[in-house]
Amino acid sequence: MNTYAIDLSLKPTTFDLWHVCLAGTVALLALILIVLLLSMLISLMRGKKKPAVLPAAPTPEPVVKIVEKIVEVEKLVHAPAPEPVVLKEATPDAALQLLGLLQKEARFIDFIKEDIAAYSDADIGVAARVVHEGCNKAINEHFTLATVRSEQEGSKITLPQGFDAATVRLTGNIVGHAPFTGTLVHKGWQVTGIRLPKLTSGHNAAIVTPAEVEL
């Protein structure tokens, strides 16, 4: 049996392609090993610097509160609609009848229609007295009159809130709301009774006084 002795101290004297591939492989493996070592070292250093992550606190469950809401409902009550104002049509018969009574008792229309510019004050005064007496007689015979206010004229009176504006007319400086305090200038008049004569059927009330013909 033949034996071969290998001298490891000998240096190769030739450098072929096989040796080139072997040297490149060794260099590549060494480079890969170095890269892996560096990667592991960097990972260890990052792991030491990273702070510990505390466990997340449990999220509290939402508390549902029942709130009782009181809603006030205002009921609008509409005021009743005002009644329509009905205007009464005044019949002319009563007015014509009164005018006829004044003409009959006091020659009222004759006095009003007369041109008194040519008469003296004394003559007018005499005629006015006759008209006054006749008008007073006609009014007292067919009407009952009373004063609206019982106080003396010139006295101070106070009108409360809600006074009847149809019976009292305010004059002067009217400011604000009632009550009002003022001076009674006129008592006012109101009719409490009417006694007009009845008219016959077919009577023409427009003829206040008929014409007179003396034969």
Side-chain angles (χ1 to χ4, degrees):
M1 181 176 183
N2 295 326
T3 58
Y4 295 95
I6 298 174
D7 189 1
L8 298 177
S9 62
L10 295 177
K11 296 181 180 180
T13 56
T14 59
F15 195 75
D16 53 8
L17 181 60
W18 171 254
H19 290 93
V20 172
C21 292
L22 182 61
T25 302
V26 172
L28 180 62
L29 291 175
L31 181 61
I32 293 173
L33 180 61
I34 293 172
V35 171
L36 290 176
L37 291 175
L38 290 175
S39 299
M40 292 177 63
L41 181 60
I42 293 173
S43 299
L44 290 175
M45 292 178 65
R46 288 181 179 180
K48 291 181 180 180
K49 293 182 179 180
K50 186 176 182 180
V53 179
L54 297 177
T59 303
E61 296 182 359
V63 178
V64 179
K65 294 183 179 180
I66 301 176
V67 179
E68 183 178 357
K69 185 176 181 181
I70 301 176
V71 180
E72 295 183 359
V73 179
E74 182 179 359
K75 184 178 181 181
L76 299 178
V77 180
H78 297 281
E83 296 182 359
V85 179
V86 179
L87 300 178
K88 295 187 296 183
E89 184 178 356
T91 59
D93 291 346
L96 295 174
Q97 190 178 8
L98 174 59
L99 190 59
L101 292 173
L102 294 176
Q103 171 64 18
K104 176 183 177 182
E105 299 293 342
R107 310 288 289 190
F108 178 76
I109 298 177
D110 293 338
F111 178 76
I112 296 300
K113 299 299 292 182
E114 183 72 23
D115 184 8
I116 61 174
Y119 295 94
S120 64
D121 292 342
D123 293 335
I124 296 173
V126 173
R129 184 180 298 273
V130 175
V131 174
H132 177 271
E133 292 178 354
C135 289
N136 186 46
K137 178 183 177 182
I139 295 297
N140 291 335
E141 183 177 353
H142 300 286
F143 296 93
T144 300
L145 299 175
T147 58
V148 176
R149 303 291 302 192
S150 60
E151 300 88 351
Q152 293 295 325
E153 293 180 353
S155 61
K156 291 288 185 179
I157 64 172
T158 300
L159 301 175
Q161 187 175 4
F163 70 95
D164 188 1
T167 60
V168 180
R169 182 175 68 246
L170 299 178
T171 59
N173 187 18
I174 305 172
V175 180
H177 304 280
F180 296 110
T181 300
T183 303
L184 181 62
V185 179
H186 192 273
K187 292 182 178 181
W189 292 104
Q190 58 183 335
V191 177
T192 58
I194 300 176
R195 297 174 298 276
L196 291 175
K198 295 181 179 181
L199 300 177
T200 60
S201 178
H203 174 74
N204 187 3
I207 305 300
V208 178
T209 182
E212 296 181 7
V213 177
E214 184 179 358
L215 299 177

